[in-house]
Amino acid sequence: MRPLDEKETTMVFEKLFKFTGPNLKHLLERPAVEGPDPEPGRYCLRLHKNRVYYASEALVRRATAVARPRLAAVGTPIGKFTHHGSFHLTVHALDLLAAHARRRVWLKPDTERSFLFGNSVPKSSLARITENTKSGDGVVVMSMSDVPLGFGIAARSAQDCRKADTNAVVVLHQADAGEYLRKEEELM
Amino acid sequence: MGKRSGNKKGKDKVVLPPELPEIDDDEVVVSDEDVEFYSSDKRGADLVRKFDQKSIDRYVRRVTGKDEGEVERLYEERERKRQATEALRPRRQQDEDMEVDPVNALPIKTLQGKLVYNNAKKARREGNVSGIKSKGKEESADAKPSVQKDERKGKHKNQKGDSKLQNVQSQTEVPKGKLHSEVLEEVKEELSAEELFEKKKGQLAELGMAMLEDPESNIRSLNDMLSISNDKDQKVVKLGLMSLLAVFKDIIPSYRIRQLTEKELAVEVSKEVKKTRYYEYTLIRCYKAYLQKLISLEKQTNFYSVAVRCMCALLDTAPHFNFHESLLASVVKNLSSSDDVVRKMCCEAIRSLFINEGKHRGEATIEAVRLIADHVKLNDCQLHPDSIEVFLSLRFDEDLGKDDEEENEKNEKPKKNKRWQNKEVSKQLPASDKKKTRQELISKAREEVDADLRAVSFTLGPKERRRIQQETLSAIFETYFRILKHTLSTSVSRSKGSNVSVSHPLLGPCLEGLGKFAHLIDLDFMGELIACLKKLSGYTDLQDKSPRVDSLSVSERLQCCIVAFKVWRNNLEALNVDLQDFFVQLYNLILEYRPDRDRGEVLADALKTLLWEGKQQDMLRAAAFIKRLATFALSFGSAEAIAALITLKHLLQKNSKCRNMLENDSGGGSMSSLVAKYDPEAKDPYLSGGLASVLWELSLLEKHYDMSISSMASNILSMANLNPTQNPVPILNVNPLEAYKDLSIERELSKPQGKVLTLNCKRKRRGKEFVALSPDALEKAECLVDEDDLKEKLESHFAVLRGISENERLRAELNHTMSSINMYKEYKKQKRKNKKTKTGSKKVAKV
């Protein structure tokens, strides 16, 4: 387990920034709630076995006592570095992103299932979309009862959506809550 | 010779003797020499005596033979001729005098040796000039009373019964030979100003009545009225203008008079047509003169309001008539006048123009809208808000935008049909050739009839109507966007550092108008419009770090949010869009609201449009708003509180999950998201952790002095015990805006009695506000101001106290000295007494 180097940090932050925008600051500066200490301090990012973890300082301090091969995880995993060296957000980051994201997309109740099976979001299943969404922005996909279902990349802006064909893809799938079932082994 | 010829030629021709040189008897002077000659030489005298008188007579008179009457006639004739020549002579003599003049004057010899009669000529010229001058004077004197002459004419016509006037007439007419101006001045002196005024008033009334009775025959008196309104007296001019207005209002026809073409002029017309043509011609000429007069008078301060009133009334009644362009132009120019009355009049005129489009088929509307747009452009958006507010009374067809598409569809359909029909027809063609031609004829005739009908019925076809409305709309939006752009650019430049305070008087009505016509905005503009509104509402994206717009007031920014919301809602009904940024803005603006500075209605309206009418809120945001609204309700007056509470209740009803905020369980239980602690200062509702808070404010509000608020609060609190699907019995079924209005009216009514009370309450509430919403910079500033105030008050108070104590001290000193002086006096008295007694005793001793 080690802190991220500069290159890795920029890669991670760039990915997160797509979703959170300026809220990225809040993501890192908010007071931590995890850990046994009465004052857990702030959150920090740690790299362990190609995975990036989001953990409170208190947890990180404790984790240093554990040997590297024996440490399974610390805090919340938010993504992983692939063999090519690029960074992918994983579904674990969903809660974190949902709280801080700027753009959201709401799905119609009967089309949630399709998204949870790993499909992209077509226009027909779109119930609501944040106004200033542009293509290329990261969006969090929510159910109508405000439960975060997953996240992805907007394929077209909110205004284009209106003119778009009903089958046109609005959000490109990146991760969804269904992965907890479908890719159980991969996730851990 | 004469005799012979006379004899030869016959009796009828009589030759009169040569005329004797006219010599008066006095002038015949017999000289001394002659007398001597005759006396010395008697023979000569005899010779003279010997003259045969008869022959001489015969010779001289030659007419003796003719009859007496004839001769006499001849003599008379000669006499007449002489007189005639004499009559001619004086002029000649004058001329001769003039010519002679230079001879009398001394000539000047020039270097070349020529003699120049310089002085004489000059004198003559001067004489001429002076003559001309005097003539000119006479003319001007004539010109002055020209008005009076007209009046006299009028009198002749109309006011024979008025004895006073007749006196005047006789007075003015008798001394015709004298100078006009003198007489008129005398008359003026005689007639007091009031009488003149009354007279002219009566005259105007008579003329006007005559005009209204029979405009066709009396059309010429328009000229008279116009000339009266040229009077020097301002009152008369005003009256003239107004009466002309009344007349024009009545007689202006419902059509537009056009100029006759040459062809038409060439054609011989009947008497009646000629008469109407004359009538129309006079009418239009007078109308033109009247308008020109109005426009020129408008520039004078005395006649300003009258002229504008006339123009407004004319525009109101005759927006279709000739010259309405100039009328419109001047009315629009006065829309932003600084005079309240004038501005109101103009606004009303334009508004009625917009509303009663049937009068002018919408053409004037376009013109007016374009003129206003130009006006705004010229004045760089610095106008009175009224000038834009008039747009709000415009009306458009609801299906203005959609029609085009339908039309296209319609056009396409027939094409298909045609193709199909063509096939059919081609099959049938050889058989039904005759039928076809007949059908064509019928359809042609029908079209012609339709066209005629349209021309007569004075209404527009749907196509034309739509075209006009579209043009109007585009002009309006051009204006609106210009204002927005201007506001944006000035406020940005201001926040960059230049401290020029720029007001945006037009922004309010502009936003209102955008809200009203939101459903007609083209989708292509929408992105830019929303971005602009977002900037104006003060939303800052930390990402692009654009300069913050601070110059707008809270209500204006709230209006921006409302408009953006309306625009989206009206245009994108199919797709539900979440205006997150505007919600964030509203969330922050609630904190900045101050009841006395900002308009409460706007806030209530914003709550209504954004939160109450919004279809779906997501949970975190709803919770944040609920918490903030509860705090807000606690901090401000009852009207604001009821609006906030109604919105709060609505949010709680829609988001049943938020109801656990009503339970006394801080931390929000399992529902709390990543933010575990409520942060009242958070800028983003998502990060404020509203779900983790408890709505303790409601139990305080239950004890509110206002019944409606306390009952509403308890109603909301009762929701905690209900199932998530159940809703409590509604008390008030109104939206926040209506509730706000109701309560604010009530407050206005009850103000006089409970003024002190409300003041106290307000003060208390301010204190609470500080506790609840830890003060931001603005409030700190206010706090500082308060401290200064307090300091000053305390200082003055203590100064008074100090003064009093000082006064007391001084008074005590004074008393002390006074008493000591008194003591001293007593002491002296006693001393004297003692002395007296001593001396007394001494005396006694002596005695």
Side-chain angles (χ1 to χ4, degrees):
Chain A
M1 190 186 68
R2 62 173 176 84
L4 279 68
D5 64 19
E6 200 173 316
K7 193 182 147 203
E8 287 159 349
T9 314
T10 45
M11 283 168 77
V12 173
F13 279 2
E14 267 172 14
K15 279 276 173 182
L16 286 176
F17 188 80
K18 267 189 184 172
F19 286 87
T20 62
N23 285 348
L24 182 60
K25 206 176 66 174
H26 298 287
L27 195 73
L28 292 171
E29 285 180 356
R30 73 193 183 104
V33 288
E34 303 162 347
D37 291 358
E39 283 178 24
R42 303 202 173 278
Y43 282 98
C44 52
L45 293 174
R46 285 292 178 271
L47 184 76
H48 180 64
K49 289 179 184 168
N50 275 343
R51 287 179 187 273
V52 177
Y53 294 92
Y54 178 79
S56 69
E57 283 171 348
L59 272 183
V60 169
R61 246 178 278 135
R62 304 280 152 115
T64 45
V66 183
R68 191 176 291 175
R70 307 193 70 105
L71 182 67
V74 56
T76 316
I78 57 167
K80 63 179 181 185
F81 282 99
T82 60
H83 293 299
H84 285 284
S86 58
F87 178 70
H88 284 184
L89 287 169
T90 53
V91 71
H92 308 98
L94 181 58
D95 277 348
L96 202 64
L97 291 180
H100 292 90
R102 297 177 72 228
R103 332 257 185 232
R104 290 173 173 77
V105 160
W106 286 262
L107 297 186
K108 286 176 188 163
D110 47 344
T111 55
E112 286 167 15
R113 186 187 274 253
S114 160
F115 178 71
L116 290 176
F117 286 169
N119 300 316
S120 295
V121 179
K123 196 213 161 190
S124 57
S125 64
L126 199 67
R128 196 145 56 115
I129 184 169
T130 307
E131 171 254 323
N132 53 358
T133 310
K134 293 176 193 68
S135 64
D137 282 344
V139 288
V140 172
V141 180
M142 321 272 280
S143 73
M144 282 311 276
S145 51
D146 286 323
V147 177
L149 298 175
F151 53 86
I153 299 292
R156 51 190 79 222
S157 68
Q159 283 185 57
D160 291 339
C161 282
R162 192 170 182 268
K163 297 170 195 160
D165 193 47
T166 44
N167 290 326
V169 173
V170 175
V171 179
L172 297 164
H173 173 271
Q174 277 192 335
D176 62 90
E179 285 176 21
Y180 284 115
L181 291 179
R182 280 184 278 131
K183 303 178 180 176
E184 209 179 341
E185 283 84 39
E186 265 180 61
L187 288 178
M188 289 311 294
Chain B
M1 275 168 18
K3 183 187 168 186
R4 219 178 276 158
S5 67
N7 288 338
K8 273 180 186 173
K9 284 202 173 170
K11 285 168 190 176
D12 55 346
K13 192 157 187 187
V14 184
V15 180
L16 285 174
E19 227 174 312
L20 290 168
E22 264 195 9
I23 300 162
D24 287 1
D25 285 359
D26 301 352
E27 275 179 28
V28 181
V29 180
V30 184
S31 65
D32 294 351
E33 282 177 2
D34 288 346
V35 175
E36 255 183 46
F37 172 75
Y38 278 109
S39 57
S40 59
D41 195 354
K42 290 220 171 152
R43 215 183 56 190
D46 284 346
L47 190 80
V48 174
R49 243 177 257 142
K50 273 178 198 167
F51 276 156
D52 184 2
Q53 197 143 11
K54 274 185 185 173
S55 63
I56 290 175
D57 270 354
R58 200 187 292 158
Y59 183 71
V60 171
R61 284 198 204 154
R62 266 178 287 188
V63 283
T64 40
K66 314 296 169 198
D67 76 3
E68 290 283 302
E70 178 92 27
V71 174
E72 213 145 322
R73 192 182 54 81
L74 283 169
Y75 270 105
E76 270 176 20
E77 244 177 27
R78 197 203 271 173
E79 186 66 22
R80 224 178 287 144
K81 272 180 192 168
R82 200 179 53 83
Q83 272 178 356
T85 49
E86 259 180 358
L88 282 173
R89 202 173 283 165
R91 256 189 229 165
R92 213 182 291 151
Q93 267 181 342
Q94 269 182 1
D95 287 352
E96 274 168 6
D97 281 347
M98 302 291 261
E99 280 165 9
V100 165
D101 256 351
V103 180
N104 291 344
L106 283 173
I108 294 170
K109 194 172 186 183
T110 58
L111 290 173
Q112 280 82 24
K114 280 180 186 173
L115 286 175
V116 181
Y117 301 100
N118 205 7
N119 288 340
K121 274 177 192 168
K122 259 188 191 169
R124 231 162 98 192
R125 238 175 252 157
E126 271 169 17
N128 282 344
V129 170
S130 66
I132 288 164
K133 267 184 190 168
S134 62
K135 261 188 190 175
K137 273 177 196 169
E138 276 174 13
E139 271 174 7
S140 64
D142 277 347
K144 270 182 197 169
S146 66
V147 181
Q148 316 281 334
K149 272 183 192 165
D150 284 339
E151 281 164 31
R152 249 179 273 140
K153 270 183 206 165
K155 276 175 234 154
H156 272 302
K157 272 182 189 167
N158 298 311
Q159 293 203 329
K160 278 174 187 169
D162 201 332
S163 61
K164 209 188 267 174
L165 288 182
Q166 277 188 339
N167 284 342
V168 175
Q169 230 169 287
S170 57
Q171 273 172 352
T172 47
E173 277 177 6
V174 166
K176 243 181 186 172
K178 292 185 188 176
L179 274 174
H180 265 297
S181 57
E182 275 178 23
V183 174
L184 278 167
E185 265 171 16
E186 276 173 36
V187 170
K188 267 185 189 172
E189 276 168 10
E190 280 170 34
L191 278 177
S192 67
E194 265 184 42
E195 277 173 333
L196 255 175
F197 177 62
E198 285 295 319
K199 184 191 76 190
K200 278 170 186 164
K201 214 162 114 184
Q203 206 174 321
L204 271 174
E206 290 268 338
L207 281 173
M209 289 305 290
M211 274 300 304
L212 292 187
E213 268 166 26
D214 189 4
E216 296 229 352
S217 52
N218 288 325
I219 190 75
R220 288 175 111 175
S221 47
L222 269 182
N223 282 328
D224 298 335
M225 287 177 87
L226 263 179
S227 63
I228 287 179
S229 60
N230 275 326
D231 197 276
K232 272 187 235 158
D233 191 358
Q234 290 187 2
K235 273 187 187 170
V236 175
V237 174
K238 280 178 190 174
L239 273 182
L241 290 179
M242 294 310 281
S243 45
L244 269 173
L245 168 70
V247 170
F248 275 125
K249 255 180 165 180
D250 254 35
I251 63 168
I252 281 179
S254 62
Y255 54 89
R256 194 178 174 155
I257 296 172
R258 73 188 159 81
Q259 197 142 28
L260 294 173
T261 57
E262 282 180 19
K263 225 180 188 179
E264 279 171 325
L265 281 173
V267 174
E268 197 74 13
V269 287
S270 69
K271 214 175 184 180
E272 277 180 27
V273 173
K274 253 184 198 168
K275 202 176 157 192
T276 2
R277 274 187 188 171
Y278 176 72
Y279 169 72
E280 286 178 347
Y281 172 72
T282 327
L283 175 63
I284 216 160
R285 215 194 41 201
C286 290
Y287 189 64
K288 194 180 176 186
Y290 180 58
L291 282 188
Q292 278 168 349
K293 189 166 178 56
L294 279 182
I295 288 168
S296 66
L297 281 179
E298 183 205 327
K299 280 155 198 151
Q300 298 174 25
T301 46
N302 294 335
F303 298 107
Y304 181 56
S305 62
V306 176
V308 173
R309 178 177 299 162
C310 290
M311 285 195 281
C312 288
L314 275 183
L315 189 64
D316 195 15
T317 48
H320 58 278
F321 200 58
N322 302 33
F323 310 118
H324 67 263
E325 304 90 353
S326 50
L327 260 182
L328 259 179
S330 45
V331 169
V332 166
K333 204 172 65 195
N334 284 316
L335 262 183
S336 58
S337 147
S338 52
D339 190 346
D340 275 342
V341 183
V342 168
R343 198 175 56 234
K344 284 271 137 46
M345 275 192 305
C346 291
C347 285
E348 277 309 307
I350 299 271
R351 236 173 240 153
S352 76
L353 188 78
F354 287 161
I355 292 169
N356 307 322
E357 278 196 333
K359 274 186 189 172
H360 50 81
R361 306 206 292 173
E363 285 152 359
T365 311
I366 291 191
E367 256 171 67
V369 171
R370 277 190 191 141
L371 279 170
I372 294 174
D374 289 346
H375 196 47
V376 169
K377 191 179 173 185
L378 279 177
N379 286 296
D380 204 18
C381 303
Q382 297 298 320
L383 291 172
H384 196 274
D386 280 356
S387 46
I388 296 301
E389 243 168 35
V390 292
F391 285 158
L392 291 181
S393 48
L394 276 171
R395 257 177 284 159
F396 296 100
D397 293 345
E398 286 304 313
D399 51 350
L400 188 62
K402 291 167 196 165
D403 254 8
D404 269 346
E405 292 157 24
E406 279 176 27
E407 193 81 355
N408 287 339
E409 279 172 25
K410 271 183 197 167
N411 282 342
E412 275 168 29
K413 268 183 191 170
K415 265 181 197 169
K416 281 176 194 167
N417 285 345
K418 256 182 197 168
R419 213 175 289 152
W420 177 75
Q421 269 177 351
N422 279 341
K423 278 179 195 168
E424 294 266 299
V425 168
S426 60
K427 281 175 194 167
Q428 295 174 353
L429 196 73
S432 60
D433 221 5
K434 269 186 189 174
K435 264 190 188 173
K436 202 191 164 191
T437 50
R438 208 180 149 194
Q439 272 180 347
E440 270 182 2
L441 268 178
I442 288 173
S443 64
K444 226 182 210 175
R446 197 164 284 160
E447 272 174 22
E448 276 176 19
V449 168
D450 278 350
D452 284 352
L453 188 71
R454 210 172 294 145
V456 170
S457 65
F458 200 65
T459 51
L460 289 174
K463 254 189 198 173
E464 202 141 330
R465 191 176 158 72
R466 195 168 346 113
R467 186 187 57 80
I468 282 176
Q469 291 204 342
Q470 274 168 350
E471 279 178 28
T472 319
L473 200 63
S474 69
I476 289 177
F477 281 130
E478 186 201 327
T479 317
Y480 283 159
F481 290 151
R482 171 166 290 127
I483 294 165
L484 281 184
K485 221 174 171 184
H486 177 262
T487 316
L488 198 62
S489 64
T490 49
S491 54
V492 165
S493 72
R494 189 197 166 200
S495 61
K496 266 178 186 168
S498 58
N499 261 334
V500 189
S501 61
V502 187
S503 58
H504 311 290
L506 292 182
L507 187 63
C510 160
L511 289 175
E512 227 170 295
L514 276 176
K516 194 182 173 195
F517 303 122
H519 57 289
L520 299 166
I521 296 177
D522 195 65
L523 268 182
D524 300 338
F525 292 129
M526 208 120 91
E528 276 178 55
L529 179 65
I530 294 288
C532 189
L533 284 174
K534 198 183 288 176
K535 267 184 197 166
L536 282 177
S537 73
Y539 182 82
T540 45
D541 205 343
L542 293 175
Q543 206 172 332
D544 50 331
K545 287 192 176 162
S546 58
R548 205 181 140 80
V549 180
D550 268 338
S551 56
L552 297 181
S553 73
V554 173
S555 6
E556 277 170 335
R557 282 192 264 167
L558 281 173
Q559 266 184 327
C560 286
C561 293
I562 297 171
V563 168
F565 212 80
K566 278 185 180 164
V567 169
W568 270 108
R569 196 182 56 205
N570 290 330
N571 277 294
L572 300 178
E573 275 165 358
L575 187 69
N576 199 341
V577 170
D578 184 43
L579 288 168
Q580 198 200 341
D581 296 341
F582 288 99
F583 279 112
V584 173
Q585 206 47 45
L586 176 67
Y587 186 73
N588 291 320
L589 280 171
I590 290 176
L591 275 190
E592 288 180 36
Y593 175 80
R594 298 275 171 283
D596 300 328
R597 184 189 61 187
D598 305 317
R599 287 160 60 203
E601 306 95 65
V602 179
L603 183 75
D605 195 15
L607 291 179
K608 185 190 133 205
T609 17
L610 267 76
L611 297 173
W612 197 75
E613 286 175 353
K615 280 175 189 164
Q616 183 90 32
Q617 301 299 332
D618 73 273
M619 191 176 59
L620 286 176
R621 194 166 63 198
F625 267 110
I626 286 169
K627 181 66 184 168
R628 183 149 283 188
L629 283 175
T631 321
F632 175 79
L634 210 53
S635 316
F636 293 107
S638 46
E640 286 96 341
I642 195 75
L645 281 182
I646 288 174
T647 322
L648 192 156
K649 189 184 161 194
H650 182 81
L651 285 175
L652 275 179
Q653 279 177 359
K654 284 259 168 138
N655 298 277
S656 51
K657 278 175 195 165
C658 292
R659 288 189 195 175
N660 55 7
M661 288 172 77
L662 293 167
E663 280 154 24
N664 195 4
D665 172 23
S666 71
S670 58
M671 292 308 297
S672 71
S673 63
L674 290 173
V675 188
K677 210 176 125 197
Y678 176 58
D679 176 15
E681 284 180 74
K683 293 276 180 208
D684 191 340
Y686 285 97
L687 300 175
S688 69
L691 268 181
S693 63
V694 175
L695 287 176
W696 50 267
E697 290 94 344
L698 286 176
S699 55
L700 269 180
L701 283 170
E702 252 186 321
K703 293 167 190 160
H704 200 277
Y705 69 93
D706 197 320
M707 274 304 292
S708 55
I709 290 179
S710 57
S711 60
M712 177 59 83
S714 54
N715 188 275
I716 293 170
L717 276 177
S718 72
M719 283 168 118
N721 306 324
L722 295 168
N723 284 337
T725 47
Q726 276 179 314
N727 281 329
V729 191
I731 324 171
L732 280 168
N733 229 349
V734 289
N735 65 35
L737 186 59
E738 286 166 13
Y740 176 85
K741 277 178 182 164
D742 287 350
L743 264 189
S744 57
I745 289 168
E746 266 177 41
R747 190 167 57 178
E748 285 292 315
L749 289 176
S750 64
K751 229 174 192 175
Q753 303 133 8
K755 209 171 188 181
V756 185
L757 193 88
T758 48
L759 263 178
N760 282 341
C761 286
K762 261 183 193 168
R763 231 174 250 167
K764 270 182 203 166
R765 261 177 246 137
R766 280 270 164 81
K768 270 174 202 163
E769 186 192 348
F770 287 150
V771 176
L773 327 165
S774 55
D776 50 34
L778 247 171
E779 282 165 332
K780 266 179 198 165
E782 218 176 59
C783 205
L784 280 178
V785 170
D786 277 348
E787 262 176 31
D788 287 347
D789 260 6
L790 202 68
K791 239 183 195 174
E792 268 178 29
K793 275 179 186 168
L794 281 179
E795 268 174 10
S796 63
H797 177 72
F798 282 119
V800 170
L801 275 185
R802 238 174 273 145
I804 289 169
S805 60
E806 186 83 11
N807 210 349
E808 272 176 1
R809 196 178 56 81
L810 286 173
R811 203 164 283 169
E813 254 175 50
L814 193 76
N815 284 343
H816 185 70
T817 43
M818 286 292 277
S819 63
S820 55
I821 288 167
N822 282 346
M823 292 269 277
Y824 181 71
K825 273 180 186 169
E826 293 259 314
Y827 168 74
K828 266 196 168 174
K829 265 184 191 170
Q830 279 200 344
K831 246 190 175 176
R832 260 180 226 160
K833 269 184 190 171
N834 284 346
K835 271 181 189 173
K836 272 179 188 172
T837 48
K838 269 178 191 174
T839 49
S841 61
K842 273 177 190 174
K843 274 174 189 174
V844 170
K846 277 175 186 175
V847 169

